[in-house]
Amino acid sequence: MKSWASSPPVFDRAPCAAGPANSRGRRYREAPPRGRSEFQRDRDRIIHSTAFRRLEYKTQVFVNHEGDLFRTRLTHSLEVAQIGRSVARNLRLDEDLTEAIALAHDLGHTPFGHTGQDALNACMKPFGGFEHNLQSLRVVDVLERRYGAFDGLNLTFETREGILKHCSLKNARTLGEVGERFIRKQRPSLEAQVANLADEIAYNNHDVDDGLRSGLLTLEALSGVTIFARHMKAALREFPGLNGRRLVHETVRRMIDTLVTDLTGQSTMNIRTHAPASIDDVRRAPPLVAFSEKVLREQQDLKQFLQINLYQHYRVARMSAKARRIVTDLFHAFLSDPRLLPPEFQARAADDTARAIADYVAGMTDRYAFLEHRRLFAIEET
Ligand code: MG
C-alpha cells in the first residue's frame, strides 16, 4: 500500500497546466518531497524565508507607520495569492504554483514601494541598475541563506520563471534558462500569467480601499470611474441608503468579483481557441490569461485615475520625496565607506561593492531604513 507520505494530492489538471510530470526541476537535485507536491514545497520555503517576513514592514502605497489598517506588501501578497488561487482552480491549473509565485512576487521589493525602487535603480545606474523583479529572483536564488547544501531556496524552474515577470534583455542574457524566454519572446506558464493579473486585480482594488480610508480619495471623485460607479450603483440597488465603509466594501467586493469572473471567462475562451496541449505550447502561444476588452479598458481607466489622484497626491509625494532621500543617502554613505556596512555585507562587498550595498538596502523594511538613516546621519545621539 502506498503511504500518504509519498502521494501528494492529485486533481483534475488541464493538459496545459504545470505539473510534476513536466517540471524542469530544481537547480540542485533533491529527494522528492513527502506528502506535498514540488510546488507546495516551493510555497512552504517561501513562507519560511526571512524576506517573506520582512514584507510585513514594507510599503505598498502608504508607509508602514502611517496607519495599522493599510495594506503592506505582506497583506498585498496574501490577497494576490487568494485571487490567483481562485482563478487557477477555475482554469484547472496548478493552484500551488500560482500561490507560490504570488507569495514570492514582491520579495525583492525595496523599502518605500516604487519610489524606493526608482531611487535605488538611479543609484545603481553606473553598476548595472536595479530591477525589483530580478531582485525577487536573486532573493530566492542567492540571498536567502538557510540550507546546508545551497544558497537560496532552490525553487523549481516554474516558480522562478513566474517570479521573473519582467527583465531587461541585457540581464536576461546573464540568467541562463530562466532568462531565455525574454530573448525568445515567449510567455511563462499559465499559472504565472494568472499570478501576474491577480497582482493587478489586488492592487487596483486595495488601493481604492486604502485611498478612501486615508481620505486621499473620495467617493465623489471615484464616481467618475466607470467600473467603480457601476458597482457602487449595484451595491446601492441592493442596499439603498448604504454609506461609509460598508458601501466601500460592498463596491470593492463586487469589482473584484467582476474582474475574477471576467478573467476566468476570457481566459477559458482563449485556452479553448489556442488549445495548448502542454506547458511548452503555452510558452510559445500569445498571452492566454487575459481580461475581456471591455473590462481591460475599465481597468486601465481605474489605473489612470489612481495614478493621478492617489500615487501623485501631494501627501504621497511628500513621503516619496523623503523616501528617495533616505535610500539615496544610505546608498552613497555605504559606497563612500563600505566599512559602515554590517560585517556580513562587508564580506560580500569584497566581490561587488555596489551590488552588496543594493542587496542590503533593498532588504530593509521601511522602519529599518528610517532607523539606519538616523544612525548614520542624525547629529543628536540616537
Ligand atoms: Mg505586487
Side-chain angles (χ1 to χ4, degrees), residues 24-28 39 42 46 97 100-101 104 133 136-138 140-142 153-165 175-179 181-182 188 192:
R24 294 190 190 171
R26 299 174 191 275
R27 295 205 292 172
Y28 304 94
F39 300 135
D42 281 1
I46 290 158
L97 175 58
I101 296 167
N133 272 296
S136 295
L137 187 67
R138 189 167 157 77
V140 301
D141 277 358
V142 183
L153 305 179
N154 197 32
L155 303 180
T156 59
F157 174 85
E158 289 71 23
T159 301
R160 298 173 59 237
E161 168 194 56
I163 291 172
L164 195 62
K165 193 162 72 177
L175 292 174
E177 205 186 1
V178 81
R181 83 175 152 92
F182 298 96

Side-chain angles (χ1 to χ4, degrees), residues 1 34 51-52 145 153 232 260 328 348-349 356:
M1 197 178 73
R34 293 188 300 164
F52 185 72
R145 303 207 165 161
L153 305 179
M232 187 164 76
V260 166
T328 310
R348 297 189 203 180

Side-chain angles (χ1 to χ4, degrees), residues 58-84:
K58 289 196 181 197
T59 295
Q60 193 63 29
V61 174
F62 297 91
V63 172
N64 190 259
H65 66 245
E66 289 182 288
D68 290 343
L69 296 174
F70 298 125
R71 267 66 173 191
T72 65
R73 286 220 174 260
L74 180 63
T75 58
H76 162 69
S77 301
L78 296 174
E79 289 181 31
V80 176
Q82 179 273 313
I83 291 168

Side-chain angles (χ1 to χ4, degrees), residues 151-195:
D151 283 346
L153 305 179
N154 197 32
L155 303 180
T156 59
F157 174 85
E158 289 71 23
T159 301
R160 298 173 59 237
E161 168 194 56
I163 291 172
L164 195 62
K165 193 162 72 177
H166 306 291
C167 181
S168 62
L169 266 186
K170 179 174 66 87
N171 283 324
R173 290 196 190 98
T174 66
L175 292 174
E177 205 186 1
V178 81
E180 274 172 24
R181 83 175 152 92
F182 298 96
I183 298 161
R184 295 190 192 161
K185 307 235 178 303
Q186 293 191 338
R187 255 62 48 197
S189 66
L190 293 173
E191 287 79 357
Q193 296 181 35
V194 167

Side-chain angles (χ1 to χ4, degrees), residues 44 52 61 71 81 89 96 108 157 181 190 212 245 266 270 278 300 317 319 322 332 378:
D44 300 346
F52 185 72
V61 174
R71 267 66 173 191
R89 184 181 297 201
D96 301 314
F157 174 85
R181 83 175 152 92
L190 293 173
L212 286 166
R245 294 296 312 162
Q266 185 64 46
N270 296 348
S278 69
Q300 283 166 344
M319 186 45 85
K322 206 193 284 189
H332 290 298

